[in-house]
Amino acid sequence: MIPAVEVLDVGKSFGPFVALDSVNLVVHQNEFVSLLGASGCGKTTLLRIIAGFESPTRGQVKIAGEDVTAQPPHTRPTNIVFQRGALFPHMSVRENIGYSLKLRKWPKARIDEQVDRMLALVRLDGFGDRDPQKLSGGQVQRVALARALACEPRVLLLDEPMSALDLKLRQQMQLELRALQRRLGATFIFVTHDQTEALVMSDRIAVMNGGRVAQFATPRDIYRSPSSVFVSDFIGQTSLIPCEIVAAANGIAALRIASGAIVQASMARGLPVGAKAVLSVRPESVRLSAMTATLPEAALTGDIRDVIYLGPSTRVSVAIHPSLLVWAELRDEEAVGLSPGVKVSVSWAPEAALVIEEGAPS
Amino acid sequence: MVAGSWRYVWAYVFVCAVMLYLYVPIAVTVLFSFANSPRLSLPIEGLTLDWYSRALDNPLIVTALRNTALLAAISAVGGCLMGTAFAFGVLKLRQERTRRVLLGLGLLPAVVPLLVIGVALAVFFRTLGSKPGLFNAAVGHVLISLPFVVLTLNARLETFDFSVLEAARDLGATPGRAFLDITLPLIRTSVIGAGLLAAALSLDEFVVTWFNVGTELTAPVLIWGLMRRGVDPSINALATMLLAALLVLILAATMTSRRAPQ
């Protein structure tokens, strides 16, 4: 099958500032892809290049196999949902949604029919004659979505469409958007700086950093097997511990950390013994237990620094070395008896921790 | 009475004095344009519209009024077209500094003395070999109205959400279509307001007109000419007509800009 969108070696500079540095990205048809990164990472620039609002300094953009690099936005089979909706304030909701169809010279009756379908799709039946300025933030974004979907674009681009909404509404819209994409069987490219949003909605996530794609993979792979320290740090909470590889076998490595303790973790890429690396361990994989006298010397121990109650869980930081903190996320009953200053032993299942090459490209 | 109240009394007196200073000369002119005695002296014996009919019977005054209206219309249309295009062009510039400098230069003529503009234009036209007349005066009028149009439009465009234009382009509109469907309806009230302001500025423009209009007449030029031969009450009528037209234009400009969508 022809990919929905191909971004081939695209670069973009604004004067001396490099916004995108050789980006390659192939999005399949009917796929929900998120471009995730902090502000300034180039995610919005990439989206605008796909939409046609910016032209790349080099590289090529193909949509459904056709090279559209030189095409202006109005001839591209993409539509965009803007951050703040960008509804036409002088038109009714109905006129907003029907605008692209009017430009395509659809007959009036067919436009009305399609607009009604779109209103139903975003669950705004009966809102057609409203003035966009009298809509709530969530309704504005739904109308913007309906307007962008009305002419059935091959690819829908979404530029942080929920960043202005409050948390509850955002969570609800995330699920709706995901369900909508499944139902329509359309290709969505979604820009966000919110990792939870990206994890909830995406088939695949492109984590971006400094104008490059750091990793492009499924949410599970991004979370479980980050390809670099940057990705590991950016997605979710993690403790990053500098270490040195002392032995390796069957994908499990033994590592020495600064305190002298030997710990184990899984190693996807075969690094040589003696190599410096970074150990990434997620808080939910860390177990803490009160110190017993029978621990081997190389076991990992530390003093509890902070205990933070989060409701469903409790987050505990342990100083395993004067400058090294490991975070653990525990269920309530596991956290009983833990308070700042208590000595604990720290452990995790080797397959739940990951060794990442220190200089891996971010 | 306590001391505080006296302070208020003085404040009222002062405000009244300023108001009198501002409006008595205008009020007198308007009043005398309706007075039935040819001499300008109080008390007024009776009211009449004679001076108005006499003014409108005078072919010079009619020509002057027609020319003035024509120049006002040219200022409104020409100033709006050029000023709007300029405001848009400046806003599209990427460099913040260049934008500020250009905007400043666009507004500068508003504080250049009219005498300087008038003389400079006259010399400029002479070098070009363009004879003084209504055309030269019209060029001058558009020039002096431009900064005000630019200022009005710039204020509107600063709050203009350009993403709606991108949305239109994205949905399939060509640049021209997006301008007609989206930009124009959204800035229309500001453009009309700026046009009315330009017309109002043109209506009583004298200095630049005087240096460039040659032997043609506009209302302010004619009034100046007539005044040199003593004050004829029909001058009061002419001045009052100008005043009324100005008031209407300014009121209309204020009302349209107040109705502008935010």
Side-chain angles (χ1 to χ4, degrees):
Chain A
M1 201 158 60
I2 303 166
V5 177
E6 292 160 273
V7 175
L8 306 170
D9 189 32
V10 161
K12 173 73 182 174
S13 310
F14 297 103
F17 173 70
V18 179
L20 288 179
D21 182 13
S22 182
V23 169
N24 285 285
L25 203 68
V26 175
V27 177
H28 304 315
Q29 283 184 26
N30 309 342
E31 199 177 19
F32 196 126
V33 165
S34 288
L35 306 180
L36 174 64
S39 60
C41 73
K43 57 190 193 297
T44 296
T45 306
L46 180 57
L47 195 80
R48 291 174 61 80
I49 285 176
I50 297 172
F53 292 121
E54 308 279 356
S55 48
T57 323
R58 70 192 160 89
Q60 202 181 23
V61 176
K62 287 185 180 178
I63 294 171
E66 191 194 346
D67 183 356
V68 296
T69 318
Q71 278 187 28
H74 65 273
T75 62
R76 294 194 187 199
T78 57
N79 280 149
I80 189 165
V81 178
F82 288 89
Q83 205 163 25
R84 262 173 261 285
L87 298 184
F88 308 131
H90 57 301
M91 296 185 188
S92 69
V93 165
R94 176 167 283 283
E95 288 167 331
N96 264 281
I97 298 175
Y99 184 68
S100 62
L101 308 175
K102 205 176 106 191
L103 290 174
R104 282 164 180 73
K105 300 204 164 57
W106 284 28
K108 177 94 176 55
R110 246 185 97 204
I111 295 183
D112 281 343
E113 204 177 298
Q114 177 74 344
V115 170
D116 283 334
R117 262 192 45 200
M118 287 299 133
L119 282 169
L121 193 69
V122 296
R123 303 197 293 119
L124 282 176
D125 317 67
F127 279 72
D129 298 321
R130 291 278 183 102
D131 175 353
Q133 277 149 325
K134 298 204 174 89
L135 298 177
S136 72
Q139 289 166 343
V140 164
Q141 290 311 78
R142 277 167 209 231
V143 175
L145 187 64
R147 183 179 68 177
L149 286 170
C151 60
E152 290 159 6
R154 279 182 185 278
V155 181
L156 186 73
L157 307 170
L158 302 109
D159 183 11
E160 308 214 27
M162 301 176 202
S163 59
L165 308 181
D166 62 51
L167 183 66
K168 272 268 192 292
L169 189 57
R170 202 157 69 219
Q171 287 172 338
Q172 183 199 337
M173 290 269 295
Q174 284 166 8
L175 296 178
E176 274 182 41
L177 198 60
R178 180 75 178 127
L180 187 72
Q181 186 262 341
R182 292 266 162 83
R183 197 155 79 242
L184 293 173
T187 308
F188 280 31
I189 300 181
F190 187 94
V191 162
T192 181
H193 63 269
D194 180 340
Q195 40 153 316
T196 319
E197 203 162 83
L199 291 172
V200 166
M201 295 197 293
S202 319
D203 293 317
R204 282 194 293 166
I205 300 174
V207 182
M208 294 188 64
N209 182 34
R212 288 169 167 274
V213 175
Q215 189 171 7
F216 185 33
T218 62
R220 177 179 294 274
D221 281 349
I222 295 266
Y223 190 78
R224 285 288 158 207
S225 325
S227 66
S228 65
V229 174
F230 172 81
V231 175
S232 164
D233 195 28
F234 191 77
I235 302 285
Q237 262 232 313
T238 193
S239 304
L240 292 169
I241 306 164
C243 60
E244 186 189 331
I245 297 168
V246 293
N250 304 328
I252 301 286
L255 314 157
R256 181 181 295 115
I257 63 172
S259 65
I262 303 291
V263 295
Q264 288 190 321
S266 62
M267 181 161 69
R269 261 179 253 186
L271 299 177
V273 168
K276 298 255 186 254
V278 176
L279 167 66
S280 163
V281 53
R282 299 281 181 198
E284 64 273 18
S285 311
V286 174
R287 286 188 302 268
L288 304 179
S289 48
M291 285 277 278
T292 52
T294 58
L295 274 177
E297 196 151 297
L300 189 56
T301 61
D303 301 326
I304 292 181
R305 192 63 73 77
D306 284 305
V307 177
I308 301 163
Y309 180 68
L310 296 174
S313 63
T314 300
R315 194 162 282 179
V316 179
S317 64
V318 181
I320 55 171
H321 195 66
S323 61
L324 266 184
L325 283 184
V326 170
W327 287 90
E329 192 158 330
L330 309 172
R331 289 198 308 276
D332 258 359
E333 61 271 24
E334 296 171 319
V336 172
L338 299 182
S339 55
V342 171
K343 267 204 176 325
V344 287
S345 76
V346 181
S347 62
W348 51 79
E351 54 278 5
L354 190 72
V355 182
I356 305 169
E357 203 177 339
E358 202 174 31
S362 52
Chain B
M1 235 187 230
V2 289
S5 309
W6 279 108
R7 266 219 299 275
Y8 280 121
V9 169
W10 283 116
Y12 281 126
V13 169
F14 180 71
V15 168
C16 288
V18 171
M19 283 300 160
L20 287 175
Y21 174 58
L22 284 177
Y23 288 106
V24 162
I26 298 172
V28 166
T29 305
V30 174
L31 196 63
F32 278 120
S33 77
F34 294 106
N36 62 1
S37 117
R39 269 169 293 117
L40 302 179
S41 63
L42 288 166
I44 289 164
E45 286 147 26
L47 297 177
T48 175
L49 286 173
D50 272 1
W51 304 119
Y52 287 88
S53 60
R54 210 185 278 192
L56 294 176
D57 282 341
N58 183 339
L60 284 182
I61 292 183
V62 174
T63 311
L65 282 175
R66 207 181 47 220
N67 287 344
T68 292
L70 180 70
L71 287 178
I74 292 175
S75 292
V77 176
C80 267
L81 286 180
M82 288 173 67
T84 308
F86 180 80
F88 260 102
V90 165
L91 209 71
K92 290 274 162 167
L93 293 174
R94 270 195 204 230
Q95 286 244 310
E96 172 78 18
R97 262 176 72 108
T98 330
R99 203 163 61 217
R100 291 201 167 283
V101 169
L102 276 178
L103 190 64
L105 287 177
L107 300 180
L108 196 62
V111 293
V112 172
L114 290 174
L115 189 67
V116 174
I117 295 179
V119 172
L121 266 181
V123 172
F124 176 69
F125 280 129
R126 178 169 298 176
T127 343
L128 286 186
S130 171
K131 288 243 165 58
L134 278 181
F135 174 81
N136 292 9
V139 172
H141 280 212
V142 171
L143 191 154
I144 52 177
S145 75
L146 258 175
F148 296 92
V149 179
V150 170
L151 195 65
T152 313
L153 262 297
N154 186 62
R156 171 69 187 96
L157 292 181
E158 268 181 357
T159 60
F160 190 83
D161 178 9
F162 280 88
S163 64
V164 298
L165 279 189
E166 293 195 331
R169 299 273 285 115
D170 185 63
L171 292 166
T174 57
R177 188 70 200 257
F179 182 80
L180 285 181
D181 285 352
I182 313 296
T183 314
L184 205 53
L186 290 179
I187 64 167
R188 190 174 48 209
T189 47
S190 296
V191 174
I192 293 175
L196 292 170
L197 192 65
L201 285 168
S202 154
L203 218 51
D204 72 334
E205 211 301 310
F206 175 71
V207 182
V208 174
T209 318
W210 173 247
F211 282 105
N212 291 283
V213 83
T215 54
E216 302 272 0
L217 285 176
T218 70
V221 169
L222 178 65
I223 292 176
W224 183 80
L226 293 176
M227 293 279 288
R228 279 156 57 101
R229 285 185 274 132
V231 179
D232 174 341
S234 51
I235 295 178
N236 289 330
L238 184 52
T240 304
M241 284 190 270
L242 262 185
L243 177 69
L246 262 169
L247 279 179
V248 168
L249 285 175
I250 298 288
L251 266 178
T254 316
M255 274 162 61
T256 43
S257 60
R258 206 171 281 168
R259 277 205 359 251
Q262 290 311 306

